[in-house]
């Protein structure tokens, strides 16, 4: 935990403030950079509650202070205000497009499942188990772009073949991917996003938009240009209150956990 807190401070996502004299440690506060992950947190709640219904999750209530109503977050196109569906998005290379140059990964993911982690407030626990590993998240992101076969994923990612096989199997087991054979000898499969998988798209889009804003140190521009097919405009996903339609801000919502 200490290492994670130090790391978050080093990338300007947490700020540590001193406490009054006599206290042993300071307090941690979100920065402007980390507070803009709020839309990501909202989309995570939506997905988790849809696919992992529990009494604890059902007890979570979000209230929009602007309109005074409890609500469910929704993602809309900033231009036409239609709900964003990943199947309605077109992609083109942006000015910051580049190849993945990370060192090949050969370590396996943790075998500890979400159900084995004790938590009284497991608002995001299942989502984190699925996308918390960077290679699993990368595989899902490539599937949004139409990649469906092992060779296609492996061509794009610097990951060992056994690790990639494990990630694909994991996503099928968790219902994010489906698999169908396209060749019998040898038997090979292509993978496709299920509804559960497609419903992750708004969560991933919030991360992409956050990265475009905060992770472009060289000021090269966005690596991808997104177009919303229904309106033909550049896609900017906006997370809104489904009751009044207003864009959500970090301090405009109260969360009641029980």
């Amino acid at each position: 935990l200490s290492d994670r807190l130090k790391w978050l401070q080093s990338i300007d996502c947490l700020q540590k403030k001193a406490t009054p004299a006599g206290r042993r440690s300071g307090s941690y506060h979100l920065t402007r950079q980390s507070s803009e992950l709020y839309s990501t947190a909202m989309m995570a709640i939506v997905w988790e509650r849809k696919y992992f219904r529990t009494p604890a999750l059902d007890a979570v209530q979000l209230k929009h202070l602007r309109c005074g109503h409890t609500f469910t977050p929704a993602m809309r196109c900033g231009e036409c205000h239609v709900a964003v569906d990943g199947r309605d998005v077109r992609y083109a290379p942006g000015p910051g497009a580049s190849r993945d140059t990370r060192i090949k990964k050969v370590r396996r993911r943790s075998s500890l499942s979400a159900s084995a982690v004790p938590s009284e407030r497991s608002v995001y626990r299942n989502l984190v188990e699925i996308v918390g590993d960077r290679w699993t998240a990368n595989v899902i992101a490539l599937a949004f772009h139409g990649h469906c076969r092992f060779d296609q994923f492996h061509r794009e990612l610097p990951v060992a073949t056994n690790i990639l096989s494990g990630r694909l199997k994991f996503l099928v087991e968790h219902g994010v991917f489906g698999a169908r054979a396209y060749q019998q000898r040898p038997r090979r499969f292509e993978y496709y996003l299920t509804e559960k998988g497609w419903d992750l798209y708004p969560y991933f889009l919030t991360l992409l938009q956050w990265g475009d804003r905060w992770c472009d140190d060289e000021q090269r521009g966005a690596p991808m240009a997104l177009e919303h097919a229904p309106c033909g405009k550049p896609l900017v996903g906006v997370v809104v209150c489904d009751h009044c339609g207003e864009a959500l801000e970090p301090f405009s919502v109260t969360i009641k956990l029980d």
Side-chain angles (χ1 to χ4, degrees):
L1 176 59
S2 178
D3 287 345
R4 295 296 188 274
L5 291 170
K6 289 178 182 178
W7 176 70
L8 288 168
Q9 290 177 82
S10 73
I11 62 171
D12 198 31
C13 280
L14 277 183
Q15 181 180 21
K16 187 175 182 180
K17 295 184 178 180
T19 57
R23 294 188 180 180
R24 297 182 60 184
S25 60
S27 57
Y28 296 92
H29 301 265
L30 295 174
T31 62
R32 181 181 177 187
Q33 178 173 317
S34 56
S35 68
E36 290 194 9
L37 285 167
Y38 190 74
S39 293
T40 305
M42 291 291 98
M43 290 294 93
I45 289 177
V46 171
W47 188 85
E48 187 89 12
R49 292 182 74 171
K50 181 173 182 178
Y51 291 102
F52 297 94
R53 294 290 298 272
T54 66
L57 282 172
D58 288 343
V60 175
Q61 291 187 17
L62 303 174
K63 184 177 181 180
H64 190 205
L65 299 179
R66 306 275 189 180
C67 68
H69 291 273
T70 57
F71 72 96
T72 298
M75 176 175 278
R76 310 289 184 193
C77 169
E79 287 287 341
C80 67
H81 310 296
V82 170
V84 172
D85 186 319
R87 287 160 285 204
D88 294 331
V89 180
R90 302 189 185 107
Y91 304 91
S98 63
R99 296 287 298 179
D100 193 334
T101 58
R102 289 172 289 183
I103 297 172
K104 181 176 287 189
K105 181 179 175 66
V106 296
R107 184 175 61 84
R108 295 182 181 275
R109 64 176 288 132
S110 170
S111 60
L112 188 64
S113 69
S115 61
V117 179
S119 174
E120 294 181 358
R121 308 214 185 269
S122 54
V123 178
Y124 311 120
R125 186 170 63 182
N126 295 284
L127 178 70
V128 169
E129 181 188 15
I130 292 173
V131 303
D133 170 85
R134 63 175 178 173
W135 297 113
T136 308
N138 282 180
V139 170
I140 296 171
L142 288 172
F144 291 139
H145 289 263
H147 290 61
C148 62
R149 295 185 179 181
F150 184 95
D151 290 345
Q152 293 175 319
F153 292 118
H154 192 241
R155 191 179 306 120
E156 296 292 333
L157 298 174
V159 60
T161 55
N162 63 317
I163 301 300
L164 179 56
S165 294
R167 298 303 192 272
L168 291 168
K169 180 180 178 182
F170 174 83
L171 289 169
V172 172
E173 290 174 344
H174 283 73
V176 176
F177 279 4
R180 52 181 168 243
Y182 70 90
Q183 180 175 302
Q184 296 301 323
R185 295 183 182 179
R187 192 167 174 80
R188 292 179 178 173
F189 294 87
E190 61 181 14
Y191 301 88
Y192 58 91
L193 288 157
T194 62
E195 285 300 314
K196 186 177 183 180
W198 278 112
D199 281 344
L200 283 168
Y201 187 82
Y203 169 83
F204 273 79
L205 182 55
T206 62
L207 287 175
L208 176 67
Q209 294 178 166
W210 184 86
D212 289 346
R213 176 170 171 77
W214 293 104
C215 301
D216 186 14
D217 295 335
E218 299 179 4
Q219 300 296 307
R220 297 177 59 189
M224 283 190 294
L226 279 61
E227 179 184 304
H228 191 217
C231 65
K233 301 290 186 179
L235 174 61
V236 176
V238 181
V239 179
V240 304
C241 166
D242 72 337
H243 188 274
C244 69
E246 184 175 313
L248 299 175
E249 299 177 353
F251 303 106
S252 68
V253 175
T254 60
I255 303 177
K256 184 178 181 181
L257 297 176
D258 52 34

Short mmCIF file of all heavy atoms in Angstrom, two decimals, residues 166-219:
data_model
loop_
_atom_site.label_atom_id
_atom_site.label_comp_id
_atom_site.label_asym_id
_atom_site.label_seq_id
_atom_site.Cartn_x
_atom_site.Cartn_y
_atom_site.Cartn_z
N GLY A 166 -3.49 -17.62 -22.09
CA GLY A 166 -4.14 -17.58 -20.79
C GLY A 166 -5.12 -16.44 -20.66
O GLY A 166 -6.20 -16.59 -20.08
N ARG A 167 -4.78 -15.28 -21.24
CA ARG A 167 -5.69 -14.13 -21.17
C ARG A 167 -6.96 -14.39 -21.97
O ARG A 167 -8.07 -14.05 -21.54
CB ARG A 167 -4.99 -12.87 -21.71
CG ARG A 167 -3.74 -12.43 -20.95
CD ARG A 167 -4.03 -12.18 -19.46
NE ARG A 167 -2.92 -11.50 -18.83
CZ ARG A 167 -1.87 -12.10 -18.29
NH1 ARG A 167 -1.79 -13.43 -18.32
NH2 ARG A 167 -0.91 -11.40 -17.71
N LEU A 168 -6.82 -14.98 -23.14
CA LEU A 168 -8.00 -15.28 -23.97
C LEU A 168 -8.90 -16.29 -23.27
O LEU A 168 -10.13 -16.14 -23.25
CB LEU A 168 -7.55 -15.78 -25.34
CG LEU A 168 -6.87 -14.75 -26.23
CD1 LEU A 168 -6.22 -15.42 -27.43
CD2 LEU A 168 -7.86 -13.68 -26.69
N LYS A 169 -8.31 -17.32 -22.70
CA LYS A 169 -9.09 -18.32 -21.97
C LYS A 169 -9.81 -17.67 -20.79
O LYS A 169 -10.99 -17.95 -20.53
CB LYS A 169 -8.17 -19.43 -21.48
CG LYS A 169 -8.88 -20.52 -20.70
CD LYS A 169 -7.91 -21.60 -20.23
CE LYS A 169 -8.63 -22.66 -19.41
NZ LYS A 169 -7.66 -23.69 -18.90
N PHE A 170 -9.13 -16.80 -20.08
CA PHE A 170 -9.70 -16.10 -18.93
C PHE A 170 -10.91 -15.26 -19.36
O PHE A 170 -11.96 -15.28 -18.69
CB PHE A 170 -8.61 -15.20 -18.32
CG PHE A 170 -9.08 -14.30 -17.22
CD1 PHE A 170 -9.20 -14.76 -15.92
CD2 PHE A 170 -9.40 -12.97 -17.48
CE1 PHE A 170 -9.63 -13.92 -14.91
CE2 PHE A 170 -9.83 -12.13 -16.48
CZ PHE A 170 -9.95 -12.60 -15.18
N LEU A 171 -10.80 -14.54 -20.47
CA LEU A 171 -11.90 -13.70 -20.92
C LEU A 171 -13.11 -14.52 -21.38
O LEU A 171 -14.26 -14.10 -21.18
CB LEU A 171 -11.42 -12.78 -22.04
CG LEU A 171 -10.46 -11.67 -21.58
CD1 LEU A 171 -9.82 -10.98 -22.77
CD2 LEU A 171 -11.20 -10.65 -20.71
N VAL A 172 -12.86 -15.67 -21.97
CA VAL A 172 -13.96 -16.57 -22.34
C VAL A 172 -14.64 -17.12 -21.09
O VAL A 172 -15.88 -17.14 -20.99
CB VAL A 172 -13.45 -17.72 -23.24
CG1 VAL A 172 -14.55 -18.76 -23.46
CG2 VAL A 172 -12.98 -17.17 -24.59
N GLU A 173 -13.86 -17.54 -20.12
CA GLU A 173 -14.40 -18.09 -18.87
C GLU A 173 -15.25 -17.07 -18.13
O GLU A 173 -16.21 -17.42 -17.45
CB GLU A 173 -13.27 -18.58 -17.98
CG GLU A 173 -12.56 -19.83 -18.49
CD GLU A 173 -11.34 -20.19 -17.66
OE1 GLU A 173 -10.87 -19.32 -16.88
OE2 GLU A 173 -10.86 -21.33 -17.79
N HIS A 174 -14.91 -15.80 -18.25
CA HIS A 174 -15.64 -14.74 -17.54
C HIS A 174 -16.73 -14.11 -18.40
O HIS A 174 -17.35 -13.12 -17.99
CB HIS A 174 -14.67 -13.67 -17.05
CG HIS A 174 -13.91 -14.07 -15.82
ND1 HIS A 174 -12.89 -14.99 -15.85
CD2 HIS A 174 -14.05 -13.69 -14.52
CE1 HIS A 174 -12.41 -15.16 -14.62
NE2 HIS A 174 -13.10 -14.39 -13.81
N GLY A 175 -16.98 -14.66 -19.58
CA GLY A 175 -18.11 -14.22 -20.39
C GLY A 175 -17.91 -12.91 -21.11
O GLY A 175 -18.87 -12.36 -21.66
N VAL A 176 -16.68 -12.39 -21.13
CA VAL A 176 -16.40 -11.16 -21.86
C VAL A 176 -16.20 -11.45 -23.34
O VAL A 176 -16.60 -10.68 -24.20
CB VAL A 176 -15.16 -10.45 -21.27
CG1 VAL A 176 -14.79 -9.21 -22.07
CG2 VAL A 176 -15.43 -10.07 -19.81
N PHE A 177 -15.59 -12.58 -23.63
CA PHE A 177 -15.41 -13.07 -25.00
C PHE A 177 -16.21 -14.35 -25.19
O PHE A 177 -16.39 -15.12 -24.25
CB PHE A 177 -13.94 -13.41 -25.29
CG PHE A 177 -13.06 -12.24 -25.64
CD1 PHE A 177 -13.53 -10.93 -25.63
CD2 PHE A 177 -11.73 -12.45 -25.99
CE1 PHE A 177 -12.71 -9.86 -25.95
CE2 PHE A 177 -10.89 -11.40 -26.31
CZ PHE A 177 -11.38 -10.11 -26.30
N GLY A 178 -16.65 -14.58 -26.41
CA GLY A 178 -17.09 -15.89 -26.86
C GLY A 178 -16.04 -16.43 -27.80
O GLY A 178 -15.17 -15.69 -28.27
N ALA A 179 -16.09 -17.72 -28.08
CA ALA A 179 -15.10 -18.33 -28.99
C ALA A 179 -15.81 -19.27 -29.95
O ALA A 179 -16.74 -19.98 -29.55
CB ALA A 179 -14.03 -19.08 -28.19
N ARG A 180 -15.36 -19.29 -31.19
CA ARG A 180 -15.90 -20.23 -32.18
C ARG A 180 -14.75 -20.71 -33.07
O ARG A 180 -13.85 -19.93 -33.43
CB ARG A 180 -17.00 -19.59 -33.01
CG ARG A 180 -16.64 -18.28 -33.65
CD ARG A 180 -17.79 -17.67 -34.45
NE ARG A 180 -17.49 -16.30 -34.81
CZ ARG A 180 -18.20 -15.26 -34.40
NH1 ARG A 180 -19.26 -15.41 -33.62
NH2 ARG A 180 -17.86 -14.02 -34.77
N ALA A 181 -14.79 -21.99 -33.40
CA ALA A 181 -13.72 -22.57 -34.22
C ALA A 181 -13.85 -22.12 -35.66
O ALA A 181 -14.93 -22.14 -36.22
CB ALA A 181 -13.76 -24.09 -34.13
N TYR A 182 -12.73 -21.71 -36.25
CA TYR A 182 -12.72 -21.38 -37.68
C TYR A 182 -11.83 -22.35 -38.47
O TYR A 182 -11.79 -22.29 -39.69
CB TYR A 182 -12.26 -19.95 -37.90
CG TYR A 182 -10.80 -19.68 -37.62
CD1 TYR A 182 -9.83 -19.83 -38.61
CD2 TYR A 182 -10.39 -19.27 -36.36
CE1 TYR A 182 -8.49 -19.57 -38.36
CE2 TYR A 182 -9.05 -19.01 -36.09
CZ TYR A 182 -8.11 -19.16 -37.10
OH TYR A 182 -6.79 -18.91 -36.83
N GLN A 183 -11.14 -23.25 -37.75
CA GLN A 183 -10.29 -24.24 -38.39
C GLN A 183 -10.25 -25.49 -37.51
O GLN A 183 -10.18 -25.38 -36.28
CB GLN A 183 -8.87 -23.67 -38.57
CG GLN A 183 -7.89 -24.62 -39.23
CD GLN A 183 -6.55 -23.95 -39.47
OE1 GLN A 183 -6.46 -22.93 -40.15
NE2 GLN A 183 -5.50 -24.52 -38.88
N GLN A 184 -10.31 -26.66 -38.12
CA GLN A 184 -10.36 -27.90 -37.36
C GLN A 184 -9.00 -28.57 -37.20
O GLN A 184 -8.73 -29.18 -36.18
CB GLN A 184 -11.35 -28.87 -38.03
CG GLN A 184 -12.78 -28.39 -38.03
CD GLN A 184 -13.33 -28.12 -36.63
OE1 GLN A 184 -13.02 -28.86 -35.69
NE2 GLN A 184 -14.15 -27.09 -36.49
N ARG A 185 -8.15 -28.53 -38.21
CA ARG A 185 -6.85 -29.20 -38.13
C ARG A 185 -5.73 -28.26 -38.56
O ARG A 185 -5.58 -28.02 -39.77
CB ARG A 185 -6.86 -30.47 -39.01
CG ARG A 185 -7.84 -31.53 -38.54
CD ARG A 185 -7.73 -32.76 -39.42
NE ARG A 185 -8.68 -33.80 -39.03
CZ ARG A 185 -8.80 -34.97 -39.65
NH1 ARG A 185 -8.02 -35.24 -40.71
NH2 ARG A 185 -9.68 -35.86 -39.23
N PRO A 186 -4.96 -27.74 -37.58
CA PRO A 186 -5.20 -27.83 -36.14
C PRO A 186 -6.40 -26.97 -35.74
O PRO A 186 -6.78 -26.05 -36.48
CB PRO A 186 -3.91 -27.29 -35.53
CG PRO A 186 -3.42 -26.33 -36.56
CD PRO A 186 -3.77 -26.93 -37.88
N ARG A 187 -6.98 -27.26 -34.61
CA ARG A 187 -8.19 -26.56 -34.16
C ARG A 187 -7.82 -25.16 -33.68
O ARG A 187 -7.00 -25.00 -32.76
CB ARG A 187 -8.87 -27.35 -33.05
CG ARG A 187 -10.28 -26.84 -32.71
CD ARG A 187 -11.00 -27.87 -31.85
NE ARG A 187 -12.27 -27.43 -31.38
CZ ARG A 187 -13.39 -27.45 -32.09
NH1 ARG A 187 -13.36 -27.91 -33.33
NH2 ARG A 187 -14.53 -27.04 -31.58
N ARG A 188 -8.40 -24.18 -34.32
CA ARG A 188 -8.12 -22.80 -33.95
C ARG A 188 -9.42 -22.02 -33.81
O ARG A 188 -10.40 -22.34 -34.48
CB ARG A 188 -7.22 -22.14 -35.00
CG ARG A 188 -5.80 -22.72 -35.01
CD ARG A 188 -4.94 -22.07 -36.06
NE ARG A 188 -3.58 -22.60 -36.02
CZ ARG A 188 -2.64 -22.32 -36.90
NH1 ARG A 188 -2.93 -21.52 -37.92
NH2 ARG A 188 -1.44 -22.85 -36.79
N PHE A 189 -9.36 -21.00 -32.97
CA PHE A 189 -10.57 -20.26 -32.63
C PHE A 189 -10.42 -18.78 -32.96
O PHE A 189 -9.33 -18.22 -32.96
CB PHE A 189 -10.87 -20.39 -31.13
CG PHE A 189 -11.23 -21.78 -30.69
CD1 PHE A 189 -10.24 -22.69 -30.34
CD2 PHE A 189 -12.56 -22.19 -30.66
CE1 PHE A 189 -10.56 -23.97 -29.94
CE2 PHE A 189 -12.89 -23.47 -30.27
CZ PHE A 189 -11.89 -24.37 -29.91
N GLU A 190 -11.56 -18.16 -33.23
CA GLU A 190 -11.62 -16.72 -33.26
C GLU A 190 -12.51 -16.27 -32.10
O GLU A 190 -13.40 -17.01 -31.66
CB GLU A 190 -12.15 -16.19 -34.58
CG GLU A 190 -13.56 -16.61 -34.94
CD GLU A 190 -13.98 -16.05 -36.30
OE1 GLU A 190 -13.09 -15.58 -37.05
OE2 GLU A 190 -15.20 -16.09 -36.60
N TYR A 191 -12.27 -15.09 -31.61
CA TYR A 191 -12.92 -14.61 -30.40
C TYR A 191 -13.76 -13.38 -30.73
O TYR A 191 -13.40 -12.59 -31.61
CB TYR A 191 -11.86 -14.26 -29.35
CG TYR A 191 -11.00 -15.45 -28.99
CD1 TYR A 191 -9.84 -15.73 -29.72
CD2 TYR A 191 -11.36 -16.31 -27.96
CE1 TYR A 191 -9.05 -16.83 -29.42
CE2 TYR A 191 -10.57 -17.43 -27.65
CZ TYR A 191 -9.43 -17.67 -28.38
OH TYR A 191 -8.67 -18.78 -28.09
N TYR A 192 -14.86 -13.24 -30.04
CA TYR A 192 -15.74 -12.10 -30.28
C TYR A 192 -16.26 -11.58 -28.95
O TYR A 192 -16.39 -12.32 -27.97
CB TYR A 192 -16.92 -12.51 -31.18
CG TYR A 192 -17.76 -13.64 -30.62
CD1 TYR A 192 -18.87 -13.37 -29.81
CD2 TYR A 192 -17.45 -14.97 -30.89
CE1 TYR A 192 -19.65 -14.40 -29.29
CE2 TYR A 192 -18.22 -16.00 -30.37
CZ TYR A 192 -19.31 -15.71 -29.57
OH TYR A 192 -20.06 -16.73 -29.05
N LEU A 193 -16.54 -10.30 -28.92
CA LEU A 193 -17.08 -9.67 -27.72
C LEU A 193 -18.53 -10.07 -27.52
O LEU A 193 -19.34 -10.02 -28.45
CB LEU A 193 -16.98 -8.15 -27.82
CG LEU A 193 -15.57 -7.56 -27.69
CD1 LEU A 193 -15.51 -6.20 -28.36
CD2 LEU A 193 -15.17 -7.46 -26.23
N THR A 194 -18.87 -10.47 -26.31
CA THR A 194 -20.25 -10.70 -25.94
C THR A 194 -20.89 -9.36 -25.56
O THR A 194 -20.22 -8.32 -25.56
CB THR A 194 -20.32 -11.65 -24.74
OG1 THR A 194 -19.64 -11.01 -23.63
CG2 THR A 194 -19.63 -12.98 -25.06
N GLU A 195 -22.16 -9.36 -25.22
CA GLU A 195 -22.79 -8.13 -24.75
C GLU A 195 -22.08 -7.64 -23.49
O GLU A 195 -21.91 -6.42 -23.30
CB GLU A 195 -24.28 -8.36 -24.46
CG GLU A 195 -25.13 -8.45 -25.71
CD GLU A 195 -25.06 -7.19 -26.55
OE1 GLU A 195 -25.17 -6.07 -26.00
OE2 GLU A 195 -24.86 -7.31 -27.78
N LYS A 196 -21.67 -8.56 -22.64
CA LYS A 196 -20.93 -8.20 -21.43
C LYS A 196 -19.63 -7.50 -21.81
O LYS A 196 -19.21 -6.54 -21.13
CB LYS A 196 -20.64 -9.47 -20.61
CG LYS A 196 -19.99 -9.24 -19.26
CD LYS A 196 -19.84 -10.57 -18.54
CE LYS A 196 -19.26 -10.41 -17.16
NZ LYS A 196 -19.11 -11.73 -16.46
N GLY A 197 -18.99 -7.97 -22.87
CA GLY A 197 -17.77 -7.34 -23.34
C GLY A 197 -18.01 -5.98 -23.96
O GLY A 197 -17.31 -5.00 -23.66
N TRP A 198 -19.03 -5.87 -24.82
CA TRP A 198 -19.33 -4.58 -25.44
C TRP A 198 -19.73 -3.54 -24.41
O TRP A 198 -19.46 -2.34 -24.58
CB TRP A 198 -20.43 -4.73 -26.49
CG TRP A 198 -19.94 -5.22 -27.81
CD1 TRP A 198 -20.20 -6.42 -28.40
CD2 TRP A 198 -19.09 -4.52 -28.71
NE1 TRP A 198 -19.55 -6.52 -29.61
CE2 TRP A 198 -18.86 -5.36 -29.83
CE3 TRP A 198 -18.47 -3.26 -28.69
CZ2 TRP A 198 -18.06 -4.97 -30.91
CZ3 TRP A 198 -17.68 -2.87 -29.76
CH2 TRP A 198 -17.49 -3.74 -30.85
N ASP A 199 -20.36 -3.98 -23.34
CA ASP A 199 -20.78 -3.02 -22.30
C ASP A 199 -19.61 -2.43 -21.54
O ASP A 199 -19.79 -1.49 -20.75
CB ASP A 199 -21.76 -3.69 -21.33
CG ASP A 199 -23.16 -3.78 -21.89
OD1 ASP A 199 -23.46 -3.07 -22.88
OD2 ASP A 199 -23.99 -4.55 -21.34
N LEU A 200 -18.41 -2.97 -21.75
CA LEU A 200 -17.20 -2.36 -21.17
C LEU A 200 -16.73 -1.14 -21.98
O LEU A 200 -15.86 -0.40 -21.52
CB LEU A 200 -16.06 -3.39 -21.11
CG LEU A 200 -16.13 -4.42 -20.00
CD1 LEU A 200 -15.11 -5.53 -20.25
CD2 LEU A 200 -15.87 -3.76 -18.64
N TYR A 201 -17.28 -0.95 -23.16
CA TYR A 201 -16.77 0.11 -24.04
C TYR A 201 -16.81 1.50 -23.40
O TYR A 201 -15.80 2.24 -23.48
CB TYR A 201 -17.52 0.12 -25.37
CG TYR A 201 -16.90 1.07 -26.36
CD1 TYR A 201 -15.79 0.68 -27.11
CD2 TYR A 201 -17.38 2.37 -26.52
CE1 TYR A 201 -15.18 1.56 -27.99
CE2 TYR A 201 -16.78 3.26 -27.40
CZ TYR A 201 -15.68 2.84 -28.13
OH TYR A 201 -15.08 3.73 -28.98
N PRO A 202 -17.92 1.92 -22.77
CA PRO A 202 -17.90 3.26 -22.17
C PRO A 202 -16.81 3.43 -21.12
O PRO A 202 -16.19 4.49 -21.03
CB PRO A 202 -19.31 3.38 -21.56
CG PRO A 202 -20.15 2.48 -22.40
CD PRO A 202 -19.26 1.31 -22.70
N TYR A 203 -16.55 2.37 -20.34
CA TYR A 203 -15.47 2.42 -19.35
C TYR A 203 -14.13 2.65 -20.05
O TYR A 203 -13.34 3.51 -19.64
CB TYR A 203 -15.46 1.12 -18.56
CG TYR A 203 -14.25 0.91 -17.68
CD1 TYR A 203 -14.18 1.49 -16.42
CD2 TYR A 203 -13.18 0.13 -18.12
CE1 TYR A 203 -13.07 1.29 -15.61
CE2 TYR A 203 -12.07 -0.06 -17.32
CZ TYR A 203 -12.01 0.52 -16.07
OH TYR A 203 -10.91 0.33 -15.28
N PHE A 204 -13.87 1.89 -21.11
CA PHE A 204 -12.60 2.03 -21.83
C PHE A 204 -12.50 3.40 -22.50
O PHE A 204 -11.41 3.98 -22.57
CB PHE A 204 -12.46 0.92 -22.87
CG PHE A 204 -11.86 -0.33 -22.33
CD1 PHE A 204 -12.62 -1.23 -21.59
CD2 PHE A 204 -10.52 -0.63 -22.54
CE1 PHE A 204 -12.07 -2.40 -21.07
CE2 PHE A 204 -9.95 -1.79 -22.03
CZ PHE A 204 -10.73 -2.67 -21.29
N LEU A 205 -13.61 3.92 -23.01
CA LEU A 205 -13.56 5.21 -23.68
C LEU A 205 -13.19 6.32 -22.70
O LEU A 205 -12.44 7.24 -23.04
CB LEU A 205 -14.90 5.52 -24.35
CG LEU A 205 -14.98 6.84 -25.12
CD1 LEU A 205 -13.88 6.94 -26.17
CD2 LEU A 205 -16.35 7.00 -25.77
N THR A 206 -13.69 6.26 -21.48
CA THR A 206 -13.31 7.27 -20.48
C THR A 206 -11.81 7.22 -20.20
O THR A 206 -11.16 8.26 -20.04
CB THR A 206 -14.08 7.09 -19.16
OG1 THR A 206 -13.77 5.81 -18.57
CG2 THR A 206 -15.58 7.21 -19.36
N LEU A 207 -11.24 6.01 -20.17
CA LEU A 207 -9.80 5.89 -19.95
C LEU A 207 -9.01 6.45 -21.13
O LEU A 207 -7.98 7.11 -20.95
CB LEU A 207 -9.43 4.42 -19.72
CG LEU A 207 -9.83 3.81 -18.38
CD1 LEU A 207 -9.49 2.32 -18.37
CD2 LEU A 207 -9.13 4.51 -17.23
N LEU A 208 -9.49 6.17 -22.34
CA LEU A 208 -8.82 6.68 -23.54
C LEU A 208 -8.80 8.20 -23.52
O LEU A 208 -7.77 8.84 -23.79
CB LEU A 208 -9.52 6.16 -24.79
CG LEU A 208 -9.00 6.69 -26.12
CD1 LEU A 208 -7.58 6.20 -26.38
CD2 LEU A 208 -9.92 6.27 -27.26
N GLN A 209 -9.94 8.80 -23.21
CA GLN A 209 -10.03 10.26 -23.20
C GLN A 209 -9.17 10.86 -22.09
O GLN A 209 -8.55 11.91 -22.28
CB GLN A 209 -11.50 10.68 -23.06
CG GLN A 209 -12.34 10.30 -24.28
CD GLN A 209 -13.81 10.65 -24.16
OE1 GLN A 209 -14.54 10.63 -25.14
NE2 GLN A 209 -14.28 10.94 -22.96
N TRP A 210 -9.11 10.18 -20.95
CA TRP A 210 -8.25 10.65 -19.86
C TRP A 210 -6.79 10.58 -20.28
O TRP A 210 -6.01 11.51 -20.05
CB TRP A 210 -8.50 9.81 -18.61
CG TRP A 210 -7.73 10.26 -17.41
CD1 TRP A 210 -8.11 11.22 -16.51
CD2 TRP A 210 -6.45 9.78 -16.97
NE1 TRP A 210 -7.14 11.36 -15.53
CE2 TRP A 210 -6.11 10.49 -15.79
CE3 TRP A 210 -5.58 8.81 -17.45
CZ2 TRP A 210 -4.93 10.26 -15.09
CZ3 TRP A 210 -4.39 8.58 -16.75
CH2 TRP A 210 -4.08 9.29 -15.58
N GLY A 211 -6.40 9.48 -20.93
CA GLY A 211 -5.03 9.34 -21.39
C GLY A 211 -4.66 10.39 -22.43
O GLY A 211 -3.54 10.93 -22.42
N ASP A 212 -5.59 10.70 -23.34
CA ASP A 212 -5.33 11.72 -24.34
C ASP A 212 -5.03 13.07 -23.68
O ASP A 212 -4.21 13.86 -24.19
CB ASP A 212 -6.53 11.88 -25.28
CG ASP A 212 -6.70 10.69 -26.22
OD1 ASP A 212 -5.76 9.88 -26.34
OD2 ASP A 212 -7.79 10.58 -26.82
N ARG A 213 -5.69 13.32 -22.56
CA ARG A 213 -5.52 14.61 -21.88
C ARG A 213 -4.27 14.66 -21.01
O ARG A 213 -3.57 15.68 -20.98
CB ARG A 213 -6.76 14.92 -21.04
CG ARG A 213 -6.66 16.19 -20.22
CD ARG A 213 -7.99 16.56 -19.61
NE ARG A 213 -7.90 17.64 -18.65
CZ ARG A 213 -7.77 18.93 -18.95
NH1 ARG A 213 -7.72 19.30 -20.21
NH2 ARG A 213 -7.71 19.85 -18.01
N TRP A 214 -3.99 13.56 -20.31
CA TRP A 214 -2.97 13.63 -19.28
C TRP A 214 -1.70 12.83 -19.56
O TRP A 214 -0.73 12.94 -18.79
CB TRP A 214 -3.57 13.15 -17.95
CG TRP A 214 -4.62 14.07 -17.42
CD1 TRP A 214 -5.97 13.88 -17.44
CD2 TRP A 214 -4.41 15.34 -16.80
NE1 TRP A 214 -6.63 14.95 -16.87
CE2 TRP A 214 -5.68 15.86 -16.47
CE3 TRP A 214 -3.27 16.10 -16.49
CZ2 TRP A 214 -5.84 17.09 -15.85
CZ3 TRP A 214 -3.43 17.33 -15.87
CH2 TRP A 214 -4.70 17.82 -15.55
N CYS A 215 -1.67 12.02 -20.58
CA CYS A 215 -0.50 11.16 -20.82
C CYS A 215 0.24 11.49 -22.11
O CYS A 215 1.00 10.68 -22.62
CB CYS A 215 -0.94 9.68 -20.84
SG CYS A 215 -1.71 9.15 -19.29
N ASP A 216 0.02 12.66 -22.63
CA ASP A 216 0.67 13.07 -23.87
C ASP A 216 1.79 14.05 -23.55
O ASP A 216 1.73 15.23 -23.88
CB ASP A 216 -0.36 13.70 -24.81
CG ASP A 216 0.20 14.03 -26.18
OD1 ASP A 216 1.31 13.53 -26.50
OD2 ASP A 216 -0.45 14.78 -26.93
N ASP A 217 2.85 13.57 -22.90
CA ASP A 217 3.93 14.44 -22.46
C ASP A 217 4.64 15.13 -23.62
O ASP A 217 5.13 16.26 -23.47
CB ASP A 217 4.96 13.64 -21.65
CG ASP A 217 4.37 13.09 -20.36
OD1 ASP A 217 3.39 13.70 -19.87
OD2 ASP A 217 4.88 12.08 -19.85
N GLU A 218 4.69 14.48 -24.77
CA GLU A 218 5.39 15.07 -25.92
C GLU A 218 4.48 15.94 -26.78
O GLU A 218 4.90 16.47 -27.81
CB GLU A 218 5.99 13.95 -26.78
CG GLU A 218 7.03 13.11 -26.03
CD GLU A 218 7.60 12.00 -26.90
OE1 GLU A 218 7.23 11.93 -28.10
OE2 GLU A 218 8.39 11.21 -26.38
N GLN A 219 3.21 16.08 -26.37
CA GLN A 219 2.27 16.93 -27.10
C GLN A 219 2.14 16.52 -28.56
O GLN A 219 2.08 17.37 -29.46
CB GLN A 219 2.68 18.40 -26.99
CG GLN A 219 2.74 18.93 -25.58
CD GLN A 219 1.39 18.93 -24.89
OE1 GLN A 219 0.43 19.46 -25.41
NE2 GLN A 219 1.31 18.31 -23.71
#
